[in-house]
Amino acid sequence: ALVEDHRAPVVAITIEFPVGTWSSWARAHGADVAFAHQNDDPDRSLRKRADALAASIDLTMGHRSASLSVRCLHGDLDASLALAKDILANTRYDQHELKRSRREEAILWRGNETDVAFRMAQAAARDLFARDDPRRLRYEKPEPPGTDIAKLVTVRDQLIRLSGRVIGFAGDLTLDEAKRAAHELLPAPVAAEPEAIAPRWLELNPGATRAKDHDIAIRRLTQVYLAMGRDSLPWTDPRRPAFLVADHVLGGHFYSRLYVALRHDAGDTYGAGTSDRGDVVVGAYAANTFTRAENAGPIEAKLRAV
């Protein structure tokens, strides 16, 4: 895919691979670590090359896909593409970076214990989704990231050879230049893909749509945070457009019904609104707010009334 824009001599390239953290194969094999750390070699030669080019290179993995993004000057396009190709072929992962990532993962998980938003989202996910459902796993303690370099390289090599890859170009280049740049940038796709690449959604928990209360104690707070949640509508639901309008009226802007009732009229809170964690499949939808601890009862009654 190409979007031409010749107003500035800058080119952006994104290579997208069709596997993300919702894939049970990716989770079982540490594909997120394998993908994110392929830019880290022991002597930092790959990063030094990017610095010399003043090129930005980002490696990310979302729910459904992983992407390598490059942004560079047009004159450095060939050198930046060569660097991207070398990153995708790197077999010299930095063991120190892998161990640091392992420690960081443990620290971040401990931080979730006092993260109010995470704890409320965790309670909703546990209500709605089965233990092995991809939509719930992000709220459960993960396995420590792997540090076996040979295994990580093998997983990375499988990931970047999956069929369904997309290369996108934008900026100061022509269609012919984009075609030449894309030629041989990626290795040939695998003939047979691993099993369990696609996400496997499970049925909602029995009784998930029945109302129940959860009280989550967090140390040293002088405020109370409230969320009223339920299952959301998936993006493909024919009622979705009407839902977006209703959600905007309820909590989607500064003068929404929740904001007016809880902040402007009563001064109970600085913030109130809604959140939708749905996707192409059902997620969690919630109306939420916070207030001083002694005001918990009145604001809950107002939240329910709205």
Side-chain angles (χ1 to χ4, degrees):
L2 167 66
V3 177
E4 285 190 56
D5 184 348
H6 301 285
R7 292 174 294 174
V10 177
V11 178
I13 308 107
T14 296
I15 310 171
E16 190 171 274
F17 305 91
V19 64
T21 56
W22 274 344
S23 163
S24 57
W25 173 85
R27 293 193 306 274
H29 293 85
D32 56 339
V33 175
F35 190 80
H37 285 278
Q38 59 186 318
N39 196 23
D40 295 318
D41 57 296
D43 52 9
R44 299 182 63 82
S45 62
L46 296 170
R47 291 186 180 272
K48 288 177 182 177
R49 285 168 61 186
D51 291 343
L53 292 166
S56 64
I57 298 183
D58 296 302
L59 296 153
T60 58
M61 180 176 283
H63 293 322
R64 289 189 299 267
S65 63
S67 62
L68 186 158
S69 300
V70 180
R71 187 177 177 87
C72 64
L73 293 172
H74 179 270
D76 296 327
L77 178 60
D78 290 342
S80 297
L81 289 171
L83 174 56
K85 191 171 181 178
D86 288 345
I87 289 171
L88 293 171
N90 177 32
T91 60
R92 299 175 61 245
Y93 283 43
D94 187 343
Q95 189 69 248
H96 294 294
E97 278 295 311
L98 293 172
K99 290 179 179 178
R100 184 195 62 77
S101 176
R102 192 181 180 97
R103 291 193 299 270
E104 182 182 51
E105 186 78 38
I107 293 169
L108 290 173
W109 179 256
R110 288 198 300 272
N112 288 332
E113 294 177 1
T114 54
D115 185 321
V116 173
F118 178 88
R119 294 292 300 277
M120 291 195 296
Q122 182 185 57
R126 287 174 172 176
D127 259 359
L128 292 172
F129 309 122
R131 179 63 179 83
D132 293 328
D133 193 291
R135 293 164 290 186
R136 176 168 162 178
L137 286 176
R138 63 174 294 193
Y139 298 107
E140 302 297 341
K141 187 175 182 178
E143 293 293 325
T147 58
D148 186 316
I149 294 175
K151 290 182 179 179
L152 293 174
V153 169
T154 298
V155 171
R156 188 279 314 275
D157 287 349
Q158 289 179 299
L159 188 158
I160 66 173
R161 287 172 168 80
L162 295 173
S163 59
R165 304 166 297 183
V166 175
I167 305 177
F169 296 90
D172 186 26
L173 76 172
T174 65
L175 179 60
D176 286 341
E177 287 177 312
K179 286 180 176 179
R180 285 197 300 272
H183 184 60
E184 295 184 351
L185 179 58
L186 296 175
V190 292
E193 296 183 355
E195 295 183 2
I197 287 291
R200 186 173 66 91
W201 313 113
L202 304 178
E203 297 291 330
L204 291 181
N205 281 335
T209 57
R210 291 199 298 270
K212 56 180 74 72
D213 291 338
H214 293 284
D215 292 325
I216 302 167
I218 299 178
R219 302 186 309 275
R220 299 177 182 175
L221 288 185
T222 59
Q223 297 189 121
V224 167
Y225 295 78
L226 303 97
M228 297 179 63
R230 58 156 296 154
D231 50 317
S232 70
L233 293 180
W235 293 349
T236 52
D237 193 294
R239 297 167 294 172
R240 178 78 181 177
F243 160 76
L244 292 175
V245 175
D247 177 61
H248 184 70
V249 172
L250 176 63
H253 61 100
F254 193 62
Y255 289 98
S256 66
R257 292 183 181 179
L258 285 173
Y259 250 109
V260 169
L262 303 182
R263 174 174 173 156
H264 303 315
D265 286 353
D268 288 308
T269 184
Y270 279 109
T274 56
S275 61
D276 181 8
R277 296 186 179 89
D279 203 283
V280 293
V281 288
V282 168
Y285 176 77
N288 46 71
T289 189
F290 60 90
T291 191
R292 59 195 184 280
E294 62 272 18
N295 192 45
I299 201 173
E300 180 178 348
K302 293 174 185 176
L303 179 65
R304 291 179 179 275
V306 174

